[in-house]
Amino acid sequence: MKTLQHYIDGRWVSPIEPGTVFPVINPADETQVAEIRMGSAADVELAVAAAHRAFATFALTPLAERLEMLRRLKAIFVRRLDEMAEAITTEMGAPHDMSRDAQAASGPDHIEATLVAAEQLDWETRIGTSNVVREPVGVCGLVTPWNWPINQIMAKVAPAIAAGCTVVLKPSEQAPLSAQLVAEFIDEAKLPPGVFNMVHGTGPAVGHAMSAHPLIEMMSFTGSTRAGIDVAKTAADTVKRVAQELGGKSPNLIFADADLERALGNSIRRCFYNTGQSCNAPTRMLVERSVYEQAVQIVRRLAEATEGGDPRLPGKHIGPLSSRIQFERVQAYMQVGIDEGARLVTGGPGRHPKFERGYYVRPTVFADVHNQMRIAREEIFGPVLAMIPFGSLEEAIEIANDTPYGLAAYLHTSDMTKAPAVARRLRAGSVHINGAGQGYAEPFGGFKQSGNGRECGAYGLLEFLELKSINGYYAA
């Protein structure tokens, strides 16, 4: 069984202090596959010192050289993509095809989007006699989650390197195998020592030490809103930049003029994708009242046709939830929905009957939900859908926006005059019309308690850059 180490200053190292041993559990069969010797503030101190030393020279590295490093990293990612996919499937249960084609593939795709953005960015702009230049923020602390581990790691690491920053990464302790491979890839790509550092550990121990550290100039955090608030409060004492991608409870407006079979099929796939463990999942389905009962019956059929399966096997099935903690959390919310009086259409509490082991749950649909129920307001992070009827367009928009979150929103209609008008009124960072997806160049991030800042492409690159105005640079 593999014991995972930290990666600091270009070397694999063990924790300075003998800390807790954290088991890495395969959620499909509940077996232990690795262990982490958790880090502490002392390890953060070592990593930040390495990143701070490296920044002095790396910040001055020509852009072309930094981008060549990313090209080497991308080539290694592509060559070892199957290893990465297997690691993600093992650590958090993403099914084989999804793990390879979406989870693992996001790594090289984020690198490519960053390369394009960096080559197109105006790094220097003349304004009168001044030269406005973009420079790296400095040492950056990166904290990433378990649900899309590589997507979130590379959405931060790639633009940070392109910008000339150095980083300290704290990956999720629940999904550390993919992060370990990232460190291997970076080592193989021969990035200068100290440019990339990784410390395993918990948020309260390692994450807090990073947020509080005076030599870290920026914290880029993806995770729960509760944890994001803690990061922001801790970072405030040193007035560092904080970029956050937090929770969501995304509305999905189904209008009566939509192609119901197509709209609901797309909606169920999006809601249950990654076993519902996506912050932008459309988990609140708002359906126009005239087609509401028809929609409930279609959704029942589609949900019951959603198969659970062994994540190691190819196919379009969904896998287990990521951990026992997540399994118990989702079970509790299913019971909350029943206790609140929502109509249980299909699914509900209990392990998926197909499996004796593993954190498999039944895809669950609640109807007759109103927007003050907990299952309509709180992020469940599992394959649980809440269906809410609406009468008028104004009521639909009011319900959709009545949430502390604002990460994503969805709408389905055949009226392409109405669609963009509704989209502009939805308070969310991304709006998807009739199932449209989002690429790696478009900005990703949220309104309200879903965070601040944006990731992906040029928008993500700008998060890691400061503006400097050099006045009198040009002759008058």
Side-chain angles (χ1 to χ4, degrees), residues 25 66 172 203 258 375:
I25 304 298
R66 300 198 301 270
S172 170
I375 60 170

Side-chain angles (χ1 to χ4, degrees), residues 1-4 24 32-36 177 180-181 184:
M1 184 166 52
K2 190 172 185 179
T3 300
L4 305 184
V24 182
Q32 184 173 344
V33 294
E35 64 181 18
I36 311 168
L177 302 179
Q180 201 80 1
L181 279 177
E184 286 187 24

